[in-house]
Amino acid sequence: MNRTLLTALLGASLCATVMAQHSDFAIKSDFEERYRQISGRLDSASTTEEIDSLKGEIGKLESEYAPHQQFLDRALYPLTFGESITKLRSLQVLTYDRVYLIRTQGVKLSEIEARITSLTTRLDSLTSQRDQLFGELQESRKSLSALREAVRRLTANLTAKDRLIFAIVDSIFLPYGKDLSQVADVQKEAIGQRLERSNVLTRVYEIAADNVKFLDATQLQGRDYGNLIEQYEAFNARWAGLKQKMTEVAATGAAVPTESTGKGTAKTPLVRGGAKELRVASETAAAQAGHVDSALAEWHTKLNAGFWGGLLKEFTQAGVIVAPFNDGPSFSASIRQEVASLAASKQDPQPFVDALWKQKIDRDWREGLSRDAMLGHAEYAALDKLVSELTRDTIDTTFIAYIAGILIIIGLIWFFVFRKKKRPGEPASAA
Amino acid sequence: MIRLAKLCFIVAVLMAVTSCSSLRLDGVDFGWPVESVVTVSGTNMIEDIRYSVKAEVAPLAQEEFQDSTALRGARLRLLRSSEGYYFLTGVKFKHVYVFSPGPSSLTLYRAIPVSDGGLRNPALNQRPPYVELLDGDALRTLLTSDDIVEAKK
């Protein structure tokens, strides 16, 4: 019993001596070295088994240095002991996710890469076709039918490009699901690289700029605007979605600290992998996104100006002078004012209702006007009803005239039939 | 009466001067949690990045080794005690040097002799209110800014 106690005391004393004889600096340096080794092995790990074994190493590191936690909390600057271990565990989880994703979706990712390449090639061929079409548009100004054909083909080209670029974007984001906040930084970095490699932002900008150029170069008809407005709205909505996703991806680069000067700072692969490059890339992306926004704003302005300008021209050409308008509310007010003025005056509303509203506005411009961004379905229907009511009296008179005509014809038929029955010389009755 | 007024004035002035000059923050802990191991550069400079301390050590080399260039390339152990003194030593040192900080200078406060043959593997640990000096497993000493408190071999 005494011997056991003596051994235990000796052991405790030896442990205490060994502990006491340790240099604090050596403890800190050893911890940092072990941390770096595990971090480095995580960085280069290529199998999930390897990463699983490193999870055990992290646990061992934590338990071995737990007795020095109080000291390490102060000595490891700027992170504490607990934060360093948490960071290492997060890195382990992220690396596991990355390796797992590569392993399970390796084939799928390569298929997507191939699809992106193919789509990019098609997009490039559409771009060269677009240049040719712009040339044709310039040449075919003299012939109306040729001009219409050039406009049709160019619109189809721009729509196809629009569809293709967002197909590329969808392909890039597809493997990562809808919620990017759940996607690890390493994966966001991969998305960022794919976006950059596919030159997505430049291409999106090109499409917006092409549309501006198209609107500048073309005299459009009312019926053209329905598609163009729809195309703009769809593009704008898709761009808003892409921008949101890109902001989340770019946040990975922006979150990287400027410098890591702390002696005890544990650096993740992301930090080691070029924080500066990531930040520069995210700043460039932000600048390019700003260009796209500007191009979209210009596209919107030109589309609006062309639409409302063209519509006003229809009124002028028909000899109807209405209050000028440049958007939905002012158009609505202008038409209501004109209807009120026609109703109040003795002027014949027929030319306005039939020749202008029904033959031009309702036939060519209704699709564009019914868009929510322009006038909206409900407001257009309300205006249409209001205009139609202008000619209600005329319709009633015509209706009465028709009825009267029919009655006269019936009367005449009856008269002649009746007269035949009462032909002279025929006995009026059997008596 | 006039004398009394003069006396009151002088007392008031003295109190004002005293109250201005006696602003003092007590209980300051200057201690670094862990020593810094710094390498002496070719120009006899040492620099600690974390605590932003930079000093020329040629006079120290002259004092310890009678050669102002003897410390070039050497690794020195530097630790600031909780009182605010800088403790400095290194391999082959026979002393631990205690410096008090002044305006753009470190002034030698004490040179505490710790080893006759020179330290072989020294390390400084913060053990408030002391500074612990280790020399491998051979020596464990507790120091104050003035002297050795306890030495175990």
Side-chain angles (χ1 to χ4, degrees):
Chain A
M1 175 71 182
N2 282 344
R3 199 174 167 183
T4 316
L5 189 67
L6 195 70
T7 314
L9 281 172
L10 196 70
S13 156
L14 190 69
C15 275
T17 311
V18 168
M19 292 288 280
Q21 289 291 82
H22 268 150
S23 152
D24 288 350
F25 181 78
I27 294 169
K28 175 178 169 271
S29 303
D30 289 349
F31 176 82
E32 286 175 342
E33 183 53 31
R34 289 272 298 278
Y35 187 103
R36 261 192 294 274
Q37 279 177 3
I38 294 174
S39 178
R41 284 172 63 193
L42 278 172
D43 197 15
S44 59
S46 56
T47 65
T48 49
E49 291 77 15
E50 202 178 342
I51 298 165
D52 272 336
S53 79
L54 285 168
K55 190 180 179 181
E57 294 264 339
I58 297 168
K60 205 171 153 192
L61 178 74
E62 185 179 23
S63 59
E64 273 180 34
Y65 283 87
H68 304 289
Q69 178 169 1
Q70 210 177 354
F71 160 69
L72 286 172
D73 278 348
R74 288 179 291 121
L76 296 173
Y77 181 83
L79 296 182
T80 62
F81 171 71
E83 286 167 349
S84 302
I85 294 293
T86 306
K87 196 169 179 180
L88 209 50
R89 286 193 197 287
S90 307
L91 182 62
Q92 188 264 337
V93 171
L94 285 177
T95 313
Y96 189 94
D97 284 351
R98 185 191 61 186
V99 171
Y100 181 78
L101 188 79
I102 290 168
R103 209 162 116 170
T104 55
Q105 298 201 348
V107 180
K108 201 173 170 188
L109 283 172
S110 65
E111 279 171 11
I112 285 166
E113 291 283 358
R115 180 174 146 78
I116 291 168
T117 311
S118 147
L119 289 171
T120 312
T121 313
R122 281 171 61 193
L123 199 59
D124 287 338
S125 76
L126 280 173
T127 304
S128 59
Q129 193 187 34
R130 172 212 61 188
D131 294 337
Q132 188 190 336
L133 285 169
F134 268 119
E136 281 180 27
L137 187 70
Q138 295 296 325
E139 286 168 14
S140 59
R141 280 179 180 279
K142 286 173 192 168
S143 157
L144 189 63
S145 61
L147 182 68
R148 297 302 309 156
E149 179 58 18
V151 167
R152 192 194 61 74
R153 287 172 62 196
L154 196 48
T155 311
N157 175 281
L158 292 176
T159 311
K161 276 187 80 177
D162 175 353
R163 215 174 46 237
L164 273 180
I165 187 66
F166 285 103
I168 291 175
V169 170
D170 289 345
S171 301
I172 290 171
F173 283 98
L174 187 70
Y176 305 98
K178 284 182 180 173
D179 191 2
L180 273 178
S181 62
Q182 301 297 317
V183 174
D185 284 354
V186 180
Q187 292 160 353
K188 284 183 185 172
E189 198 188 334
I191 296 172
Q193 282 169 358
R194 278 202 196 94
L195 286 170
E196 203 182 334
R197 228 177 20 239
S198 307
N199 221 359
V200 166
L201 275 176
T202 311
R203 291 177 190 280
V204 169
Y205 171 79
E206 260 179 27
I207 292 169
D210 281 353
N211 277 282
V212 172
K213 192 176 165 189
F214 172 69
L215 290 172
D216 273 340
T218 324
Q219 284 291 322
L220 294 163
Q221 292 182 357
R223 67 184 70 172
D224 296 327
Y225 281 103
N227 278 339
L228 292 178
I229 294 164
E230 188 184 357
Q231 194 188 342
Y232 168 78
E233 284 176 346
F235 190 93
N236 195 25
R238 283 197 290 255
W239 165 240
L242 171 62
K243 201 173 150 187
Q244 170 67 29
K245 284 177 177 174
M246 285 178 59
T247 309
E248 286 178 45
V249 171
T252 315
V256 175
T258 318
E259 279 172 24
S260 299
T261 50
K263 277 182 164 185
T265 308
K267 295 162 188 164
T268 65
L270 190 66
V271 177
R272 282 194 298 272
K276 199 176 172 185
E277 286 82 351
L278 269 175
R279 196 175 302 101
V280 168
S282 90
E283 281 168 7
T284 312
Q288 283 178 322
H291 289 152
V292 176
D293 281 336
S294 307
L296 261 175
E298 201 183 345
W299 181 0
H300 183 243
T301 308
K302 286 201 186 298
L303 190 62
N304 261 336
F307 181 82
W308 296 113
L311 190 56
L312 187 63
K313 207 170 162 187
E314 292 281 14
F315 284 81
T316 319
Q317 281 174 349
V320 177
I321 307 301
V322 291
F325 49 81
N326 55 12
D327 56 12
S330 60
F331 173 75
S332 181
S334 180
I335 296 303
R336 285 173 190 279
Q337 190 186 335
E338 178 65 14
V339 169
S341 152
L342 282 170
S345 70
K346 297 286 180 190
Q347 204 181 333
D348 181 16
Q350 206 72 28
F352 173 73
V353 176
D354 287 338
L356 178 61
W357 189 264
K358 286 185 179 167
Q359 295 297 314
K360 294 278 182 187
I361 310 298
D362 195 50
R363 205 184 62 187
D364 293 344
W365 296 86
R366 185 184 55 203
E367 200 186 337
L369 281 168
S370 298
R371 294 259 154 216
D372 286 337
M374 293 307 186
L375 190 65
H377 224 76
E379 183 59 16
Y380 180 80
L383 286 183
D384 191 43
K385 192 181 170 200
L386 199 69
V387 172
S388 302
E389 280 173 352
L390 268 180
T391 53
R392 186 191 281 165
D393 290 344
T394 317
I395 289 164
D396 288 346
T397 316
T398 315
F399 183 71
I400 289 162
Y402 281 137
I403 297 292
I406 288 164
L407 284 174
I408 289 166
I409 291 163
I410 290 169
L412 284 172
I413 290 167
W414 175 83
F415 177 76
F416 285 117
V417 170
F418 183 76
R419 278 188 66 192
K420 274 182 185 173
K421 279 183 180 176
K422 286 188 173 182
R423 211 175 283 168
E426 278 186 11
S429 64
Chain B
M1 186 63 182
I2 293 167
R3 282 183 67 188
L4 187 65
K6 276 183 182 174
L7 192 65
C8 284
F9 177 74
I10 289 164
V11 168
V13 168
L14 278 173
M15 280 177 75
V17 169
T18 314
S19 68
C20 285
S21 62
S22 69
L23 177 61
R24 186 184 155 96
L25 306 178
D26 287 321
V28 179
D29 183 357
F30 291 100
W32 294 354
V34 66
E35 67 180 332
S36 275
V37 179
V38 289
T39 304
V40 180
S41 72
T43 54
N44 279 312
M45 297 296 290
I46 55 168
E47 184 176 10
D48 175 80
I49 293 165
R50 178 170 167 186
Y51 297 105
S52 297
V53 178
K54 202 172 177 182
E56 195 201 343
V57 291
L60 178 69
Q62 181 64 40
E63 178 72 19
E64 181 70 17
F65 302 106
Q66 290 76 50
D67 175 5
S68 64
T69 62
L71 286 176
R72 280 183 189 168
R75 280 155 63 88
L76 301 183
R77 331 282 293 200
L78 178 68
L79 179 70
R80 194 170 193 193
S81 71
S82 49
E83 288 175 296
Y85 291 102
Y86 288 89
F87 285 65
L88 188 68
T89 193
V91 175
K92 294 181 187 169
F93 273 57
K94 292 175 182 172
H95 301 86
V96 169
Y97 289 86
V98 182
F99 291 96
S100 63
S104 301
S105 65
L106 287 172
T107 310
L108 183 64
Y109 178 73
R110 287 278 188 281
I112 305 170
V114 287
S115 168
D116 294 334
L119 297 166
R120 282 173 296 165
N121 185 19
L124 296 168
N125 291 335
Q126 191 72 258
R127 299 284 181 265
Y130 308 111
V131 167
E132 184 183 57
L133 169 70
L134 302 176
D135 188 20
D137 291 334
L139 176 71
R140 178 179 171 266
T141 310
L142 288 178
L143 308 170
T144 65
S145 51
D146 292 307
D147 209 348
I148 295 171
V149 174
E150 181 190 328
K152 284 182 183 174
K153 293 197 177 182

